[in-house]
Structure formats: structure tokens, C-alpha cells
Amino acid sequence: MTVRRDFKEPARCRPDLVIGREELFSAAREQLGRGGSVLLHGPAGIGKSTVLRALATEYGHAARTVLRCSPTESESHLPFLALADLLGLVLDEVSDRLPAAQRTALESALTGRGESTLQRDGLALRLAVLSALRALADTGPVLVVVDDLQWLDPASAELLGFAARRLGDTPVRMLCAVRTEDQEYDRHLRAAPPDTLAVRLGPLSRAQMSALLDHRGFTGLPRSTVRDIHRTSGGNALFALELGRALAENPTPPSPGEPLPVPTSLRALVLKRLEMLSEEARRTLLVASAGARPTLALLHAAGRDNAEAETAQAAGLGLLATEPEGPAVRFAHPMISAALYAEAPAQERRAAHAALSTAASDPIERARHLALATSGTHPEVAARLAEAAALARDRGAPSVAAQLSLLAARHTPADGPPSPEVLRLDAAEDAITAGELDLARDIAREVLTRATVPADRVRAWIIVIDTAGHAMTEVDAIFPQALADAGDDPKLLALVHYQLTWRAVLVKGDFDEAREEAAYAAALAARAGDRYTELMALAFQAQIETLMGHPDAPATIRRALQEPQDPRVACHHNGAGYSRFRWLIMSDQLPEARAAVTALLREVRRHGWVESEVHFLRGVAETELHSGHCGRALDLARESLRLARDTGIGEVASAVLTSLAEAAGGELDRALALAREALEHAERDGDQMYCSRALAALGHAQLVAGDVSAAVRSLRRVREVEQSLGITDPARGRWHGDLAEALVRSGEFAEAQDVIDVTREQARRLNRESVLAVLDRAEALVRAARGEQDAAVAQMTSAQDRLGTLGYGLEEARAAFALAQLRTGAPGPTAYDEAARLFRRCRALPWLRQVEAASEARRAQAVPTPASAPDGLDGLDGLASMERQVAALVMEGATNREIATRLFISVKTVEATLTRVYRKLGIRSRVDIVRLAAGRRTT
């Protein structure tokens, strides 16, 4: 079909069209913008048509003519059909401009009148298509859109390719999509211009697939379900949406350990070739689909004696992709395995699992298959599953442990020891460890509908509170119920009061109350003999005291590290090990802090503790960032953010740290966006702690981006929030130097000095040497602004040396940059060489760009200083250093924006400085400055 310029298509939802394809979409958009052509390729259902429609919608308005066709397999044998779709509606417009022989051949081919063929009218037809496209392009750009290029009839493909290869600079762009199962797309390029960009669409990541499912209305799916959809679909968008629809339409979710329900549409799509298999070969594939890691040996052990021949037959049909040199049996796509299993009758599935329950060598696998082969309650099966869950937990597979515990609960009699509710709570706690918070919350709430035992109910309440994360306002009403269920049992009360510690911090913002609650929880746990809860409460008490700058913090950390220790606490993200790391990093012991948190990360990865992994990844990234390893910090921060978003754990904290890492070594736009996102979430959750952290990250990014007034507003809010929370340790957020620097650049010198003085007193009390050095760097800027040039240079030099000695590479580089701006005698661009060297060493790209801009500005014209001020300003001793510089640039004719750029201050600061200059000199305008200077020169 043909679409004219005035044709208006229905509005489409752009975010849905490009979810997970942003980079590919941008590359294709740039290619089309340059006048080039694009070929999208990838397997069926991967999203090619969706991206093609988005690009066609975006670029259709820029074209005078849009030619479209979408051939199908059933019509691919009809010659010239696609050509008729493309040119049929414009034939009347171009036919008069074609030579007679070409017009006759084209009309015959498109209308079916006559007997035009490529053999008889080949040259005339080829030239006619080329001439038609050129004629259309004479009146404006042409966009040719072809979806499912693989079904283009051969005649149309030949004619289109002939024209495409000869269009040259003619403004005709082609946008095509073709189905390919691998990288072999070259033969399809014959129908496209020579400079066509081939863009392969691969599988979606789990996070991208989650976003797509949410956008299509499949919201609220547990992360464990999204994980199963991603695994089963192989990242294919069409398969994932069909699986999501099947789950939405199925009132009964799949049981633990069972695969997802596969809709009939997908079964038909992927199982057509199964009809060619023998019945025995089909049974062998069913056993393989039920196994976790099927091999030929496993199939033999499960009674499939002819496994080699039967799997070879399946591989020949494209159902299996067996390794030529290995024993593994691998399905060509996960959906084939899922559809095969879903298609099998329940009795055949149980028989396959029964065979695997004795054939599998791994005890966990044997127990899982035994459970899936057994119906109803069965104490012996339940005991086997509970043992397997404990083994999976020890192996560092908490997600597997959760599934096994749920299976054990299903097979446990109501009066069996342990009870089904205890096993379900075990599963919920394992799910939290694995980062599957939605699953854990659902299990706990289900337990609360039935449980009557106080210990079970309190344990379930704690799980619900834990899964809320920092959004504790959402579960605030739970605490009275949990306390009521706990009664006067000190062990249960300790659990609840430990959670009340978090509530005091996150909901009420009261550190004094939090410290008292933690101490009380530790005492209750000690009385009950619950060493785990006692150690957790002591560790959190130590963290609170550290943030408060409380003198008891070191002693509390030592108490939390005393023997006997619980191995579950040693590597917990709220345990004493992490409290010690926080103390080390705030005390400027960066090598020790890096070693401590790296060891913690290694240990939790070994155990599969995803929740703690998210926290420790941030800890390593933070240490690298302080050390000036910006590239490494950025990689780790991004990894932490991906994992946090995938699991729903610590998303705000990871966004804050990634914002700081982006501002140091990545992209400023992303730094600003992440900080704003974190602030929005923290404010929505009522989390004052992370409101201050997000505001600090936002203010820092704004300062690096040069938006000084916005940075001042954000960082002033941080100061207010932390004062209200009672946070006194400046090493906690390290925003104080940024606020002082932003205030200097805004001309607020008195407030800047106040921030420095107050923070310096706290830093000296706590011996925070790096904070003191950063404050000296900021104070040097204050002194320079007040005209104390020599003192400013000396103080800045000292600050740089101390930061380098302490190992704060990025802060050292920032001091070198500021020092280059202060020194006025250095020649041209070489004044910035040291700063550039240090920023390159840190891979601090946003800062390096600032240095390069400053160097270019100095190369163009050195910044005026009091020592080299124009003669007309000599003797004006009433002006401060910055005032003299601004006045000198005004005399040269510079605008306020130009002055701000050359002096590295904001336009608002320039305006405020000029106001003071006018007042001191008794004048009213910029013109008066020039006149005054000119008068001074003539006297």
C-alpha cells in the first residue's frame, strides 16, 4: 500500500515499541536520518515488526511518499504481488513519466493484464521499477517499508533489488525486516541498497522483559514468575507475552517445581515437527524435558535404551541441538521443551519424573523428581524434600531451597513435624535470601490466614515487614499485631523490636529511639538465648551510632564481633562485618575497607545470598569511587543497579550510588536522572535516610553539570534533613564540600564559610581526615573569592597533597583542577596539565571534559586577575578579587554568560557580583564601569 504525506496513522505508544531496543533503535534512526537504509533481522517473535513500525511511524512524516508491503508465506508464490502492494496506488502518478515500453511492462505486471514475466520483459520491468522510484523521489523523499522480507515473491525481490542497487543518491530509503534464525542475513541484502545497515534483534534481558510485561498489562507478576517466563521464552518477546497471557487466564498458578502453562497457540507454533517423531522418540524427549540437565547417560538410566537414535532423529528435525562432542541433550529453544511437557498427559509426566527420581545422580534432583511423581501427602517424600532443601541452602542455592520447601509442605500431613506452615516459612525466608521478595510475601500472607501458633505468626509478620524493604510506611500497621502475637516471649519480642529499630530510622527518622530499640532487642535476644538476633541488633546499633558520631560506636562493633558468632550474621548485609566495613570506609582506611567488603561479597556469592550481594556490590563500588577508580566503580554500580532492579532489593540505594558513579566517570544526564528517580522513590516511601542520600547525589550531579543554583538548593535540603535526623558524622554522605563549593560559586561566601566551620568541628572530633582536606579545598575557594590569593593557593596545595596521601584520587584531581584555576602566573593551557593527568588516571570523563573546556578558554584568552587588571581599575582597592575580574571582563565587552564561562561561575553569581561592584563604585550600569575605567586612564 502507499501512504501519502497527509496520511495520519493512529497514535502508537512509543515506549512499548522500543522497550529493550533503545540502542538498536537509535542506531537505526541515525542511519535513516543520514539518508541510509536499514535491515532488521532476527528470529520469529523477537520484535522486528514492532521496531519496524516504530521507525516507520517516526520517519513516515518526513517522507513525501511511503510505500509499504507485508508479504505472507501463503502468498509468496504469486509473482509481482509485493510489487503491486508497493506501487499499485502510485502507478497512475508515475506512468506518464515512464517510457512506453517500461509503462506497458509495469502495468501488465501490476494489474495482471497480459502475460508479463521476468523472462520476457526482464529489462523493461527492471528499468520501470527504477524509473518509478526516481519519479516519485523527484517530488520528495520516498520511504519503502517491507516487513517479513523472507516471504517476498522472487520476482518482486529481484526487481526491488535491481532498483535498490542503482538508486545512488536518489532520496529513496528502505526499511525492511526479515526473519533469520542465525546471523545469515546476507542474501536478503540483495533486495536493499549497498549501504544498508543490518541490525540484529537479540533476546530481551529479564529486566527488559519485565518492563514489557508490565507495559502490556501483565502487572504484579512475582519476580520468580518473570524469571520463569524469561527462561522459558528464551528472551523472545512474542513467546513471553503469550506466556503472560496464559498465566493471566489460568486461575490456578503452576505448582512449585512445575513449568509454566504453555498456551495452545505456542504449542502449535513450536511442535509442528513433533508429528514426524515416533512415539518412543517422543517419550524420550519428554523425559529430557522433565530433567534439569539431561544427558544421554541420564536418559539411558531412566530406561530410554535407544536414546542415541531417538535424539539424533529429533536433532535432524531441528528439535534438539545436541553437542557433537559432548553428552548434553539441549533443546533448540526452551519453548520446545516447555511445550512438549505441557502437551503430555499428567500420567506420562509423573512416569517421566518417577524414572528420573532413581536415574538422577544429584540428591536434590532425585528429591524434586520424587515429589513431582507423587500425589497427595507422603511423610517420607516430605522428609526427603526437607533434606534436599537444606542441602540446596548449604550449596548456595536459596531459590532451589525455597521451591523444595514448598514441595515438602505440599506433601507434609497437617499434623506432621515440622508442620506445613513451618516449611512454608522456611521457603519464604529462602526466597528473601534469593531476592524473590514477591514470592516470600505471598507465602507469608498465606501462612497468616491459617497459622495459630504465635511463633509461626510472628515469623510470618517479620517476613512481610522484611519484604517491604525501605517502604516501611506500607507495613506500619503490622507492628501492633506482631507485638500482640509475641505476647511476653522474649525471643519473639526481640524479633519485633529489631524491626522497630528500622521503623524508627526509616519512618520516624529518630536515631536516638532507633539506638534504644536496637539495644533493647539485643538484650531481649540475649535473655532468650537467640544469638542470631542479638548479633544482628548489636550490628545495627553500631551502624546507628556510627552515623550519629556516637563515641560508643567502636565498642558496640567489638561487642557484635565477639564470639560465639553465628555464620549467618558474619556475612549478612546488616551484620557486624558490614558495620566494620562502614567504620573503615568512614575512617579513611580505604585498603582495609576494600579487602573487608570484597571478602564479604565473595562469601555471599558462594552462598547465593542475593540480598546481601546487592549491598556488598555497592560497598565495593563505593570504595573504588573514593579511591578514584571511576571506571571500575561505574561498572560495579551499574551491576548493583541491574541486580537491584531485577530483584526489587535496594533499588533506591543502588540508584543513588550509580548516580554518583555516573557523575564521576559516566554520563551526567544519567546521573541526574538516577538521582531524581531515587529521590522520588524515597519521598514516596517516606524514607528520610535515603531522601538525604538522593538529594546529595542530585546536588553533586548538578554541581558537576554546572547548575550551581540547583546544586545549592538540593544540598541545603540535605543539610536540613540530616540535622533533623541527628546525623553528625560528615563522612556518611560527604556532601559538605560540594555545598560549600556551590555556595562560593553562587557568591554566598558567608554561608559557605559557615558550612565549612560547622562541619570542620564535627570532622575534627571524629578524626575524619579526608573530610577535613575537602573542607580546606572549599575554604581555599572562599579565600580566593575574597582576594586572599596566596593563602588560597597554599591551602589548596596542602589539600591536594593530603587527599593524594589518603588515597582519594578523584578528590585529589578536583583539588588540582581548582588549583590550576587559582594560579594566575602559569602559561596558557599547561596550567591544567596536572589536573588532566589525574582525571585521566581516574577515568573521570565528566571532569576531564571540564578541564579540556577550561584549557581551551585559557588558550583563547587568559583569565584577568588583580595582578594584570587593566589600568583603569588600578587603585580600586575596595573591590574583592572576583569583583575586579568581573569588572575587567565587563570593560572588555563580555556578556554575563561569557563572564560566567570564563570564570567558571554561574550567571547568577556574575549578576550578584556586578550588583556589589555598582554599589561599591557608586555607579548604576555596565556602561558606567567602562566610563570610569576610561576616565582613570586619562588622569
Side-chain angles (χ1 to χ4, degrees), residues 597-661:
V597 75
T598 301
L600 289 170
L601 177 61
R602 184 167 54 248
E603 192 65 14
V604 299
R605 279 177 165 167
R606 187 174 69 83
H607 287 288
W609 297 346
V610 177
E611 186 175 11
S612 293
E613 181 181 357
V614 174
H615 287 76
F616 296 153
L617 271 171
R618 286 201 306 271
V620 180
E622 182 183 354
T623 309
E624 299 293 353
L625 191 59
H626 286 322
S627 302
H629 305 148
C630 299
R632 170 73 172 151
L634 184 58
D635 290 342
L636 288 163
R638 286 173 174 171
E639 183 182 354
S640 169
L641 183 59
R642 283 194 297 270
L643 189 57
R645 285 179 168 165
D646 196 25
T647 60
I649 296 170
E651 292 180 78
V652 173
S654 292
V656 165
L657 184 65
T658 308
S659 172
L660 293 170

Side-chain angles (χ1 to χ4, degrees), residues 817 820-821 828-833 835-837 839-840 844-860 901 904:
F817 185 23
Q821 293 170 298
T830 60
Y832 293 101
D833 285 352
R837 181 185 69 81
F839 281 132
R840 284 194 195 95
L845 303 182
W847 287 103
L848 189 58
R849 286 191 283 269
Q850 287 194 38
V851 173
E852 291 169 349
S855 181
E856 286 297 323
R858 180 166 287 189
R859 180 179 288 109
T901 300
F904 308 102

Side-chain angles (χ1 to χ4, degrees), residues 226-389:
V226 173
R227 178 198 63 200
D228 291 342
I229 290 176
H230 182 258
R231 183 181 64 244
T232 303
S233 68
N236 185 292
L238 173 65
F239 293 173
L241 291 171
E242 288 299 314
L243 288 168
R245 185 173 292 109
L247 282 169
E249 294 172 353
N250 189 349
T252 305
S255 300
E258 290 188 351
L260 298 174
V262 179
T264 304
S265 58
L266 289 185
R267 295 187 203 181
L269 180 65
V270 299
L271 296 181
K272 290 179 181 178
R273 287 164 288 186
L274 273 179
E275 298 174 359
M276 302 175 65
L277 283 177
S278 66
E279 184 62 28
E280 288 302 310
R282 188 181 179 117
R283 289 180 184 276
T284 295
L285 289 193
L286 175 60
V287 174
S289 71
R293 293 173 297 276
T295 63
L296 290 173
L298 179 67
L299 293 176
H300 278 297
R304 309 310 302 169
D305 296 334
N306 297 318
E308 284 89 349
E310 289 159 353
T311 55
Q313 181 189 4
L317 293 172
L319 295 167
L320 292 181
T322 54
E323 302 294 339
E325 300 298 331
V329 176
R330 184 168 57 86
F331 283 89
H333 191 282
M335 184 59 68
I336 297 175
S337 173
L340 175 64
Y341 188 91
E343 189 77 4
Q347 183 176 355
E348 289 187 12
R349 291 190 211 171
R350 285 196 294 271
H353 286 296
L356 289 169
S357 69
T358 57
S361 59
D362 185 85
I364 293 176
E365 277 299 294
R366 288 200 300 270
R368 184 178 74 86
H369 288 301
L370 180 61
L372 295 175
T374 307
S375 58
T377 59
H378 197 297
E380 183 180 345
V381 172
R384 292 263 307 269
L385 287 164
E387 292 172 2

